[in-house]
Amino acid sequence: MYSGVLKRYILYGTKLIIMHYCILKVASSFYVCLIVGPLVVFYWRGTWELIDTYLAPSDDVLTAWLSFAIGLCIVLAANFSQTLLARFFQDNSMALVNILAKRIYTYLFAFGVVCHWRGVWYVLDLYAGHSLWGKLSFTLIGLVLMVFVRSSYNILAPPLIAATDIDCNYFTISTRFQSKPEKLETYIYDICFTVVILGSFIVFVWRGIWGLLDLYFVPVFLESTIPPPFGITVIGYAIMLLMLLLQYPTNLISHRLSKGKLLKIAFEDAFILLGICGCVSVWHGIWSLCDTYILPDNPIASRWLTHAVGIVSLMLMLCGNSVLVRGCYVDGEKHDGQNAVLFHIDYFQSLADCRKYGFCRCAVQHEKKKGRIAKDCTLELDENGTRIHKHNQDDVLTKTSKIIAGTSAV
């Protein structure tokens, strides 16, 4: 009798947990797609066009190369200083100083990323031109090389992915080959390859798809009664919705293909490519909407407005890191315990953890501060000063399965 009640209680609790997860996942998806994603585009549009306004606006060659150099220096500095920053802020007892420093870091890093992208984009415009072949060729080059080095997932952007500011490893930036600082020469090569080569290939792909939208989709909408910004935005969000609905069936298929590594990677890359087209379409549409409807008679004020509204709103919502392009995921590998076809949109889950364990602290940090470590968690610091927290979920699942099995036997 008691065993049957216990079993039903465990199963009922499991159903509640699954339902709670699904509700948070759906809510996070809508929130990121409709609010966080557009705000990220606001920031990028405002920052990009402000650089157009103030950085050597009369010299196309100078502004392109200067933007590229400034952006590259800032992004490389953030990568090379991650160990130092992680060590300095890991035990900083001044919470306000810690929070302000992280926001300044994000703001400067984001400015560097925009400069880098703008520089690569304009350099390609200068030397490859605006013809169909000039756009398509570099798009194919970038896409093929990103697939070849198994890094196509990194081409995705909000609204299909989002990063919160609630992270133990705030300053940690992954690289393609995960090199360690102890092997200094390899570490430097790895960072430079990830930032300079892979980071630029991502721009190749985005510029090409953006240009194809300008060449083929904008004229079609101009001939119709639908304004091009609205039409392209709708197309982008339609693709987004399709991707979000198909991610779990696609994940099941990908799991079945896990024995054939190349087939699994090819399948996931094809799915990700569709998501990339959706991301670029949403960005193109929202960017054009800003140019058309937000203070069109005062472009400088419009740029400052979208820049400020974008970054301030995202930081207040603890999503400032969503404006960054940093780190490197490897195709075919699991990212944070899940396949690449499951998009990283866990905004409300992260907020729930934040509410439970304290502002900007993960569970392990909270337990450590209270003088105790959770039984199912361990905390380690690697040689870089990076926090590694491990949850022994396998042990918990094993214990749960034993309970269910035991109750069934009784």
Side-chain angles (χ1 to χ4, degrees):
M1 176 181 177
Y2 292 107
S3 62
V5 173
L6 179 59
K7 182 178 179 180
R8 285 196 297 272
Y9 177 79
I10 293 174
L11 293 176
Y12 178 72
T14 303
K15 290 180 180 178
L16 286 179
I17 292 173
I18 294 173
M19 184 181 299
H20 181 257
Y21 171 81
C22 292
I23 292 173
L24 289 180
K25 192 72 175 179
V26 171
S28 296
S29 298
F30 277 101
Y31 188 79
V32 170
C33 285
L34 299 178
I35 297 178
V36 175
L39 286 173
V40 172
V41 183
F42 273 32
Y43 169 78
W44 271 73
R45 178 258 180 185
T47 307
W48 188 298
E49 295 187 2
L50 283 173
I51 300 173
D52 288 343
T53 304
Y54 297 111
L55 185 65
S58 59
D59 191 330
D60 293 340
V61 176
L62 179 61
T63 189
W65 284 106
L66 198 57
S67 180
F68 177 77
I70 293 172
L72 211 56
C73 289
I74 294 174
V75 177
L76 286 173
N79 277 263
F80 284 118
S81 64
Q82 59 179 299
T83 302
L84 178 64
L85 292 172
R87 288 189 179 278
F88 181 79
F89 287 105
Q90 67 181 16
D91 293 319
N92 195 330
S93 59
M94 296 180 289
L96 181 60
V97 173
N98 201 322
I99 292 171
L100 290 176
K102 288 178 178 179
R103 300 305 172 270
I104 294 172
Y105 164 86
T106 299
Y107 185 81
L108 294 176
F109 196 169
F111 176 76
V113 172
V114 176
C115 280
H116 177 212
W117 272 55
R118 179 182 176 273
V120 175
W121 196 297
Y122 284 1
V123 167
L124 288 174
D125 285 348
L126 287 173
Y127 300 107
H130 298 276
S131 64
L132 174 61
W133 175 246
K135 294 179 182 297
L136 190 59
S137 60
F138 280 92
T139 303
L140 293 175
I141 291 172
L143 188 59
V144 169
L145 291 176
M146 291 295 286
V147 170
F148 179 75
V149 296
R150 295 174 57 189
S151 300
S152 60
Y153 181 87
N154 302 283
I155 308 174
L156 291 172
L160 273 185
I161 58 174
T164 65
D165 301 339
I166 309 166
D167 193 351
C168 301
N169 302 322
Y170 194 92
F171 301 101
T172 302
I173 307 172
S174 60
T175 54
R176 172 59 184 83
F177 301 105
Q178 303 297 320
S179 301
K180 301 297 182 182
E182 287 71 26
K183 299 180 179 180
L184 185 58
E185 185 175 351
T186 305
Y187 182 65
I188 293 173
Y189 288 153
D190 194 8
I191 289 179
C192 291
F193 177 78
T194 303
V195 173
V196 182
I197 305 300
L198 297 186
S200 299
F201 286 164
I202 295 172
V203 186
F204 285 17
V205 178
W206 271 69
R207 174 182 173 270
I209 299 175
W210 195 291
L212 292 176
L213 290 172
D214 286 334
L215 289 174
Y216 292 104
F217 285 82
V218 172
V220 170
F221 286 114
L222 287 174
E223 294 176 358
S224 67
T225 58
I226 303 173
F230 284 104
I232 294 176
T233 303
V234 170
I235 291 174
Y237 272 113
I239 297 174
M240 293 284 182
L241 180 60
L242 181 65
M243 299 295 293
L244 293 173
L245 292 175
L246 292 180
Q247 61 177 319
Y248 291 101
T250 305
N251 181 55
L252 293 176
I253 298 173
S254 176
H255 182 70
R256 291 180 178 274
L257 297 174
S258 57
K259 292 183 179 180
K261 192 75 171 180
L262 290 177
L263 186 60
K264 171 184 168 67
I265 294 174
F267 176 75
E268 291 184 355
D269 284 347
F271 184 71
I272 289 170
L273 178 60
L274 181 60
I276 294 167
C277 295
C279 288
V280 179
S281 298
V282 169
W283 277 59
H284 189 292
I286 296 175
W287 196 301
S288 300
L289 287 171
C290 292
D291 289 340
T292 305
Y293 296 104
I294 298 180
L295 301 177
D297 298 329
N298 192 344
I300 294 180
S302 173
R303 294 161 186 172
W304 277 110
L305 180 63
T306 53
H307 168 85
V309 169
I311 193 64
V312 172
S313 300
L314 288 168
M315 286 186 176
L316 290 175
M317 294 188 302
L318 301 179
C319 286
N321 280 325
S322 294
V323 302
L324 301 178
V325 179
R326 68 173 184 176
C328 184
Y329 291 114
V330 180
D331 297 343
E333 304 293 338
K334 289 189 175 182
H335 309 154
D336 297 332
Q338 65 184 32
N339 286 331
V341 294
L342 295 179
F343 303 112
H344 293 198
I345 306 177
D346 301 314
Y347 178 73
F348 287 113
Q349 295 94 314
S350 298
L351 286 187
D353 292 339
C354 177
R355 181 181 179 185
K356 184 176 180 180
Y357 298 110
F359 180 71
C360 289
R361 296 187 181 92
C362 67
V364 177
Q365 288 175 297
H366 176 78
E367 294 297 318
K368 186 180 180 183
K369 184 178 180 181
K370 294 295 184 181
R372 61 184 186 274
I373 297 295
K375 293 180 181 180
D376 61 331
C377 299
T378 57
L379 175 66
E380 301 174 4
L381 290 178
D382 65 9
E383 61 275 6
N384 303 326
T386 303
R387 300 177 183 84
I388 304 174
H389 58 283
K390 299 179 180 178
H391 297 266
N392 300 324
Q393 296 176 347
D394 294 338
D395 296 340
V396 176
L397 292 174
T398 302
K399 292 177 183 177
T400 304
S401 62
K402 286 181 179 179
I403 292 173
I404 296 175
T407 54
S408 301
V410 173

mmCIF file with all atom_site columns, all heavy atoms in Angstrom, residues 196-211:
data_model
loop_
_atom_site.group_PDB
_atom_site.id
_atom_site.type_symbol
_atom_site.label_atom_id
_atom_site.label_alt_id
_atom_site.label_comp_id
_atom_site.label_asym_id
_atom_site.label_entity_id
_atom_site.label_seq_id
_atom_site.pdbx_PDB_ins_code
_atom_site.Cartn_x
_atom_site.Cartn_y
_atom_site.Cartn_z
_atom_site.occupancy
_atom_site.B_iso_or_equiv
_atom_site.pdbx_formal_charge
_atom_site.auth_seq_id
_atom_site.auth_comp_id
_atom_site.auth_asym_id
_atom_site.auth_atom_id
_atom_site.pdbx_PDB_model_num
ATOM 1   N N   . VAL A 1 196 ? 40.045 36.000 -34.939 1.00 0.00 ? 196 VAL A N   1
ATOM 2   C CA  . VAL A 1 196 ? 40.348 36.627 -36.224 1.00 0.00 ? 196 VAL A CA  1
ATOM 3   C C   . VAL A 1 196 ? 39.751 35.833 -37.396 1.00 0.00 ? 196 VAL A C   1
ATOM 4   O O   . VAL A 1 196 ? 39.094 36.409 -38.278 1.00 0.00 ? 196 VAL A O   1
ATOM 5   C CB  . VAL A 1 196 ? 41.870 36.783 -36.414 1.00 0.00 ? 196 VAL A CB  1
ATOM 6   C CG1 . VAL A 1 196 ? 42.168 37.471 -37.741 1.00 0.00 ? 196 VAL A CG1 1
ATOM 7   C CG2 . VAL A 1 196 ? 42.468 37.574 -35.256 1.00 0.00 ? 196 VAL A CG2 1
ATOM 8   N N   . ILE A 1 197 ? 39.957 34.523 -37.395 1.00 0.00 ? 197 ILE A N   1
ATOM 9   C CA  . ILE A 1 197 ? 39.521 33.715 -38.534 1.00 0.00 ? 197 ILE A CA  1
ATOM 10  C C   . ILE A 1 197 ? 38.038 33.361 -38.425 1.00 0.00 ? 197 ILE A C   1
ATOM 11  O O   . ILE A 1 197 ? 37.228 33.746 -39.280 1.00 0.00 ? 197 ILE A O   1
ATOM 12  C CB  . ILE A 1 197 ? 40.373 32.435 -38.645 1.00 0.00 ? 197 ILE A CB  1
ATOM 13  C CG1 . ILE A 1 197 ? 41.878 32.797 -38.704 1.00 0.00 ? 197 ILE A CG1 1
ATOM 14  C CG2 . ILE A 1 197 ? 39.949 31.646 -39.880 1.00 0.00 ? 197 ILE A CG2 1
ATOM 15  C CD1 . ILE A 1 197 ? 42.252 33.668 -39.875 1.00 0.00 ? 197 ILE A CD1 1
ATOM 16  N N   . LEU A 1 198 ? 37.673 32.640 -37.371 1.00 0.00 ? 198 LEU A N   1
ATOM 17  C CA  . LEU A 1 198 ? 36.274 32.206 -37.251 1.00 0.00 ? 198 LEU A CA  1
ATOM 18  C C   . LEU A 1 198 ? 35.331 33.392 -37.086 1.00 0.00 ? 198 LEU A C   1
ATOM 19  O O   . LEU A 1 198 ? 34.237 33.416 -37.663 1.00 0.00 ? 198 LEU A O   1
ATOM 20  C CB  . LEU A 1 198 ? 36.123 31.240 -36.074 1.00 0.00 ? 198 LEU A CB  1
ATOM 21  C CG  . LEU A 1 198 ? 36.897 29.921 -36.164 1.00 0.00 ? 198 LEU A CG  1
ATOM 22  C CD1 . LEU A 1 198 ? 36.528 29.007 -35.005 1.00 0.00 ? 198 LEU A CD1 1
ATOM 23  C CD2 . LEU A 1 198 ? 36.630 29.224 -37.486 1.00 0.00 ? 198 LEU A CD2 1
ATOM 24  N N   . GLY A 1 199 ? 35.743 34.390 -36.286 1.00 0.00 ? 199 GLY A N   1
ATOM 25  C CA  . GLY A 1 199 ? 34.908 35.575 -36.107 1.00 0.00 ? 199 GLY A CA  1
ATOM 26  C C   . GLY A 1 199 ? 34.646 36.308 -37.412 1.00 0.00 ? 199 GLY A C   1
ATOM 27  O O   . GLY A 1 199 ? 33.547 36.824 -37.643 1.00 0.00 ? 199 GLY A O   1
ATOM 28  N N   . SER A 1 200 ? 35.643 36.338 -38.279 1.00 0.00 ? 200 SER A N   1
ATOM 29  C CA  . SER A 1 200 ? 35.467 37.005 -39.575 1.00 0.00 ? 200 SER A CA  1
ATOM 30  C C   . SER A 1 200 ? 34.627 36.166 -40.531 1.00 0.00 ? 200 SER A C   1
ATOM 31  O O   . SER A 1 200 ? 33.842 36.704 -41.317 1.00 0.00 ? 200 SER A O   1
ATOM 32  C CB  . SER A 1 200 ? 36.835 37.299 -40.196 1.00 0.00 ? 200 SER A CB  1
ATOM 33  O OG  . SER A 1 200 ? 37.587 38.165 -39.364 1.00 0.00 ? 200 SER A OG  1
ATOM 34  N N   . PHE A 1 201 ? 34.770 34.836 -40.484 1.00 0.00 ? 201 PHE A N   1
ATOM 35  C CA  . PHE A 1 201 ? 33.956 33.972 -41.341 1.00 0.00 ? 201 PHE A CA  1
ATOM 36  C C   . PHE A 1 201 ? 32.469 34.127 -41.035 1.00 0.00 ? 201 PHE A C   1
ATOM 37  O O   . PHE A 1 201 ? 31.625 34.035 -41.929 1.00 0.00 ? 201 PHE A O   1
ATOM 38  C CB  . PHE A 1 201 ? 34.368 32.503 -41.167 1.00 0.00 ? 201 PHE A CB  1
ATOM 39  C CG  . PHE A 1 201 ? 35.678 32.164 -41.826 1.00 0.00 ? 201 PHE A CG  1
ATOM 40  C CD1 . PHE A 1 201 ? 36.352 30.996 -41.502 1.00 0.00 ? 201 PHE A CD1 1
ATOM 41  C CD2 . PHE A 1 201 ? 36.235 33.001 -42.782 1.00 0.00 ? 201 PHE A CD2 1
ATOM 42  C CE1 . PHE A 1 201 ? 37.561 30.669 -42.103 1.00 0.00 ? 201 PHE A CE1 1
ATOM 43  C CE2 . PHE A 1 201 ? 37.439 32.691 -43.391 1.00 0.00 ? 201 PHE A CE2 1
ATOM 44  C CZ  . PHE A 1 201 ? 38.107 31.523 -43.053 1.00 0.00 ? 201 PHE A CZ  1
ATOM 45  N N   . ILE A 1 202 ? 32.147 34.331 -39.763 1.00 0.00 ? 202 ILE A N   1
ATOM 46  C CA  . ILE A 1 202 ? 30.744 34.551 -39.393 1.00 0.00 ? 202 ILE A CA  1
ATOM 47  C C   . ILE A 1 202 ? 30.201 35.783 -40.113 1.00 0.00 ? 202 ILE A C   1
ATOM 48  O O   . ILE A 1 202 ? 29.074 35.781 -40.623 1.00 0.00 ? 202 ILE A O   1
ATOM 49  C CB  . ILE A 1 202 ? 30.608 34.709 -37.867 1.00 0.00 ? 202 ILE A CB  1
ATOM 50  C CG1 . ILE A 1 202 ? 30.988 33.407 -37.159 1.00 0.00 ? 202 ILE A CG1 1
ATOM 51  C CG2 . ILE A 1 202 ? 29.178 35.098 -37.488 1.00 0.00 ? 202 ILE A CG2 1
ATOM 52  C CD1 . ILE A 1 202 ? 31.056 33.528 -35.648 1.00 0.00 ? 202 ILE A CD1 1
ATOM 53  N N   . VAL A 1 203 ? 31.013 36.842 -40.189 1.00 0.00 ? 203 VAL A N   1
ATOM 54  C CA  . VAL A 1 203 ? 30.590 38.062 -40.883 1.00 0.00 ? 203 VAL A CA  1
ATOM 55  C C   . VAL A 1 203 ? 30.414 37.790 -42.376 1.00 0.00 ? 203 VAL A C   1
ATOM 56  O O   . VAL A 1 203 ? 29.495 38.329 -43.016 1.00 0.00 ? 203 VAL A O   1
ATOM 57  C CB  . VAL A 1 203 ? 31.601 39.201 -40.653 1.00 0.00 ? 203 VAL A CB  1
ATOM 58  C CG1 . VAL A 1 203 ? 31.087 40.504 -41.257 1.00 0.00 ? 203 VAL A CG1 1
ATOM 59  C CG2 . VAL A 1 203 ? 31.870 39.392 -39.164 1.00 0.00 ? 203 VAL A CG2 1
ATOM 60  N N   . PHE A 1 204 ? 31.282 36.954 -42.956 1.00 0.00 ? 204 PHE A N   1
ATOM 61  C CA  . PHE A 1 204 ? 31.135 36.586 -44.366 1.00 0.00 ? 204 PHE A CA  1
ATOM 62  C C   . PHE A 1 204 ? 29.726 36.061 -44.632 1.00 0.00 ? 204 PHE A C   1
ATOM 63  O O   . PHE A 1 204 ? 29.062 36.456 -45.599 1.00 0.00 ? 204 PHE A O   1
ATOM 64  C CB  . PHE A 1 204 ? 32.144 35.493 -44.737 1.00 0.00 ? 204 PHE A CB  1
ATOM 65  C CG  . PHE A 1 204 ? 33.564 35.961 -44.898 1.00 0.00 ? 204 PHE A CG  1
ATOM 66  C CD1 . PHE A 1 204 ? 33.988 37.183 -44.389 1.00 0.00 ? 204 PHE A CD1 1
ATOM 67  C CD2 . PHE A 1 204 ? 34.486 35.175 -45.556 1.00 0.00 ? 204 PHE A CD2 1
ATOM 68  C CE1 . PHE A 1 204 ? 35.298 37.604 -44.533 1.00 0.00 ? 204 PHE A CE1 1
ATOM 69  C CE2 . PHE A 1 204 ? 35.799 35.582 -45.711 1.00 0.00 ? 204 PHE A CE2 1
ATOM 70  C CZ  . PHE A 1 204 ? 36.203 36.809 -45.193 1.00 0.00 ? 204 PHE A CZ  1
ATOM 71  N N   . VAL A 1 205 ? 29.282 35.139 -43.782 1.00 0.00 ? 205 VAL A N   1
ATOM 72  C CA  . VAL A 1 205 ? 27.980 34.498 -43.981 1.00 0.00 ? 205 VAL A CA  1
ATOM 73  C C   . VAL A 1 205 ? 26.851 35.503 -43.802 1.00 0.00 ? 205 VAL A C   1
ATOM 74  O O   . VAL A 1 205 ? 25.927 35.577 -44.626 1.00 0.00 ? 205 VAL A O   1
ATOM 75  C CB  . VAL A 1 205 ? 27.819 33.308 -43.018 1.00 0.00 ? 205 VAL A CB  1
ATOM 76  C CG1 . VAL A 1 205 ? 26.443 32.667 -43.188 1.00 0.00 ? 205 VAL A CG1 1
ATOM 77  C CG2 . VAL A 1 205 ? 28.917 32.267 -43.246 1.00 0.00 ? 205 VAL A CG2 1
ATOM 78  N N   . TRP A 1 206 ? 26.914 36.291 -42.741 1.00 0.00 ? 206 TRP A N   1
ATOM 79  C CA  . TRP A 1 206 ? 25.848 37.259 -42.472 1.00 0.00 ? 206 TRP A CA  1
ATOM 80  C C   . TRP A 1 206 ? 25.757 38.304 -43.587 1.00 0.00 ? 206 TRP A C   1
ATOM 81  O O   . TRP A 1 206 ? 24.665 38.655 -44.029 1.00 0.00 ? 206 TRP A O   1
ATOM 82  C CB  . TRP A 1 206 ? 26.097 37.944 -41.126 1.00 0.00 ? 206 TRP A CB  1
ATOM 83  C CG  . TRP A 1 206 ? 25.474 37.210 -39.991 1.00 0.00 ? 206 TRP A CG  1
ATOM 84  C CD1 . TRP A 1 206 ? 25.852 35.991 -39.506 1.00 0.00 ? 206 TRP A CD1 1
ATOM 85  C CD2 . TRP A 1 206 ? 24.356 37.626 -39.207 1.00 0.00 ? 206 TRP A CD2 1
ATOM 86  N NE1 . TRP A 1 206 ? 25.049 35.624 -38.450 1.00 0.00 ? 206 TRP A NE1 1
ATOM 87  C CE2 . TRP A 1 206 ? 24.119 36.611 -38.247 1.00 0.00 ? 206 TRP A CE2 1
ATOM 88  C CE3 . TRP A 1 206 ? 23.548 38.747 -39.200 1.00 0.00 ? 206 TRP A CE3 1
ATOM 89  C CZ2 . TRP A 1 206 ? 23.096 36.693 -37.309 1.00 0.00 ? 206 TRP A CZ2 1
ATOM 90  C CZ3 . TRP A 1 206 ? 22.530 38.836 -38.267 1.00 0.00 ? 206 TRP A CZ3 1
ATOM 91  C CH2 . TRP A 1 206 ? 22.303 37.825 -37.340 1.00 0.00 ? 206 TRP A CH2 1
ATOM 92  N N   . ARG A 1 207 ? 26.900 38.795 -44.033 1.00 0.00 ? 207 ARG A N   1
ATOM 93  C CA  . ARG A 1 207 ? 26.888 39.817 -45.082 1.00 0.00 ? 207 ARG A CA  1
ATOM 94  C C   . ARG A 1 207 ? 26.275 39.272 -46.362 1.00 0.00 ? 207 ARG A C   1
ATOM 95  O O   . ARG A 1 207 ? 25.502 39.966 -47.040 1.00 0.00 ? 207 ARG A O   1
ATOM 96  C CB  . ARG A 1 207 ? 28.317 40.288 -45.350 1.00 0.00 ? 207 ARG A CB  1
ATOM 97  C CG  . ARG A 1 207 ? 28.448 41.243 -46.529 1.00 0.00 ? 207 ARG A CG  1
ATOM 98  C CD  . ARG A 1 207 ? 29.899 41.610 -46.756 1.00 0.00 ? 207 ARG A CD  1
ATOM 99  N NE  . ARG A 1 207 ? 30.072 42.401 -47.978 1.00 0.00 ? 207 ARG A NE  1
ATOM 100 C CZ  . ARG A 1 207 ? 30.298 41.896 -49.185 1.00 0.00 ? 207 ARG A CZ  1
ATOM 101 N NH1 . ARG A 1 207 ? 30.366 40.579 -49.348 1.00 0.00 ? 207 ARG A NH1 1
ATOM 102 N NH2 . ARG A 1 207 ? 30.455 42.687 -50.237 1.00 0.00 ? 207 ARG A NH2 1
ATOM 103 N N   . GLY A 1 208 ? 26.587 38.023 -46.700 1.00 0.00 ? 208 GLY A N   1
ATOM 104 C CA  . GLY A 1 208 ? 26.060 37.444 -47.916 1.00 0.00 ? 208 GLY A CA  1
ATOM 105 C C   . GLY A 1 208 ? 24.553 37.254 -47.873 1.00 0.00 ? 208 GLY A C   1
ATOM 106 O O   . GLY A 1 208 ? 23.839 37.607 -48.824 1.00 0.00 ? 208 GLY A O   1
ATOM 107 N N   . ILE A 1 209 ? 24.045 36.693 -46.783 1.00 0.00 ? 209 ILE A N   1
ATOM 108 C CA  . ILE A 1 209 ? 22.598 36.477 -46.668 1.00 0.00 ? 209 ILE A CA  1
ATOM 109 C C   . ILE A 1 209 ? 21.871 37.816 -46.619 1.00 0.00 ? 209 ILE A C   1
ATOM 110 O O   . ILE A 1 209 ? 20.810 37.982 -47.241 1.00 0.00 ? 209 ILE A O   1
ATOM 111 C CB  . ILE A 1 209 ? 22.283 35.626 -45.424 1.00 0.00 ? 209 ILE A CB  1
ATOM 112 C CG1 . ILE A 1 209 ? 22.950 34.257 -45.534 1.00 0.00 ? 209 ILE A CG1 1
ATOM 113 C CG2 . ILE A 1 209 ? 20.780 35.467 -45.253 1.00 0.00 ? 209 ILE A CG2 1
ATOM 114 C CD1 . ILE A 1 209 ? 22.795 33.385 -44.306 1.00 0.00 ? 209 ILE A CD1 1
ATOM 115 N N   . TRP A 1 210 ? 22.448 38.778 -45.900 1.00 0.00 ? 210 TRP A N   1
ATOM 116 C CA  . TRP A 1 210 ? 21.857 40.127 -45.839 1.00 0.00 ? 210 TRP A CA  1
ATOM 117 C C   . TRP A 1 210 ? 21.781 40.741 -47.242 1.00 0.00 ? 210 TRP A C   1
ATOM 118 O O   . TRP A 1 210 ? 20.768 41.335 -47.627 1.00 0.00 ? 210 TRP A O   1
ATOM 119 C CB  . TRP A 1 210 ? 22.709 40.996 -44.921 1.00 0.00 ? 210 TRP A CB  1
ATOM 120 C CG  . TRP A 1 210 ? 22.085 42.283 -44.470 1.00 0.00 ? 210 TRP A CG  1
ATOM 121 C CD1 . TRP A 1 210 ? 21.812 43.392 -45.226 1.00 0.00 ? 210 TRP A CD1 1
ATOM 122 C CD2 . TRP A 1 210 ? 21.654 42.610 -43.140 1.00 0.00 ? 210 TRP A CD2 1
ATOM 123 N NE1 . TRP A 1 210 ? 21.267 44.380 -44.467 1.00 0.00 ? 210 TRP A NE1 1
ATOM 124 C CE2 . TRP A 1 210 ? 21.146 43.938 -43.178 1.00 0.00 ? 210 TRP A CE2 1
ATOM 125 C CE3 . TRP A 1 210 ? 21.665 41.933 -41.935 1.00 0.00 ? 210 TRP A CE3 1
ATOM 126 C CZ2 . TRP A 1 210 ? 20.657 44.586 -42.045 1.00 0.00 ? 210 TRP A CZ2 1
ATOM 127 C CZ3 . TRP A 1 210 ? 21.175 42.569 -40.802 1.00 0.00 ? 210 TRP A CZ3 1
ATOM 128 C CH2 . TRP A 1 210 ? 20.682 43.876 -40.858 1.00 0.00 ? 210 TRP A CH2 1
ATOM 129 N N   . GLY A 1 211 ? 22.851 40.579 -48.002 1.00 0.00 ? 211 GLY A N   1
ATOM 130 C CA  . GLY A 1 211 ? 22.875 41.115 -49.360 1.00 0.00 ? 211 GLY A CA  1
ATOM 131 C C   . GLY A 1 211 ? 21.871 40.436 -50.273 1.00 0.00 ? 211 GLY A C   1
ATOM 132 O O   . GLY A 1 211 ? 21.251 41.089 -51.128 1.00 0.00 ? 211 GLY A O   1
#
